[in-house]
């Protein structure tokens, strides 16, 4: 009776699938070198995929550059848009003299609200 009993398995302990008859897609290795820490990281990609020129370094989290024939790939960042700050957008709409004038107007309104004109530096 004990020979015919079913034995249980723990969940997630082993896979019941085998690799028999499975053909894996071709893979290629790409090496990335970090200029900050000097270490190299090897990443495996599908042969059909286009490997990125930059990858995050797994040691220092900075940007590592892909190596081709032991030389780093030159990455062109000229087409990237530089983020504008609020100050940059403000200077596109008004000159610095206009901003100084607006600041003085607002400061005078605030001073009047507080109960009188107070001199700066007095």
């Amino acid at each position: 009776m004990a020979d015919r009993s079913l034995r249980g398995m723990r969940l997630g302990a082993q896979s019941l699938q085998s690799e028999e008859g499975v053909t894996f897609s071709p893979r290629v290795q790409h090496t990335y070198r970090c200029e900050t820490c000097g270490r190299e990281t090897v990443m495996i990609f599908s042969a059909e995929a286009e490997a990125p020129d930059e990858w995050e370094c797994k040691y220092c989290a900075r940007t590592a550059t892909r190596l081709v024939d032991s030389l780093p790939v030159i990455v062109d960042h000229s087409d990237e848009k530089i983020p504008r700050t609020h100050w940059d957008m403000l200077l596109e709409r008004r000159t610095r003299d206009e901003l100084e004038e607006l600041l003085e107007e607002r400061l005078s309104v605030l001073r009047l609200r507080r109960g009188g004109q107070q001199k700066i530096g007095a």
Side-chain angles (χ1 to χ4, degrees), residues 21-84:
V22 176
T23 57
F24 295 104
S25 64
R27 306 274 189 232
V28 285
Q29 289 185 352
H30 291 284
T31 305
Y32 293 86
R33 181 183 301 142
C34 178
E35 295 298 324
T36 306
C37 67
R39 292 179 157 173
E40 292 185 357
T41 303
V42 177
M43 299 300 300
I44 299 173
F45 294 95
S46 170
E48 300 169 358
E50 183 178 338
D53 291 334
E54 293 180 328
W55 195 264
E56 183 178 307
C57 176
K58 67 179 181 180
Y59 301 103
C60 68
R62 300 283 172 98
T63 302
T65 309
R66 184 167 54 99
L67 299 178
V68 175
D69 298 328
S70 300
L71 295 173
V73 173
I74 298 172
V75 181
D76 183 23
H77 292 285
S78 63
D79 61 339
E80 290 183 11
K81 195 173 183 181
I82 298 172
R84 295 185 311 172

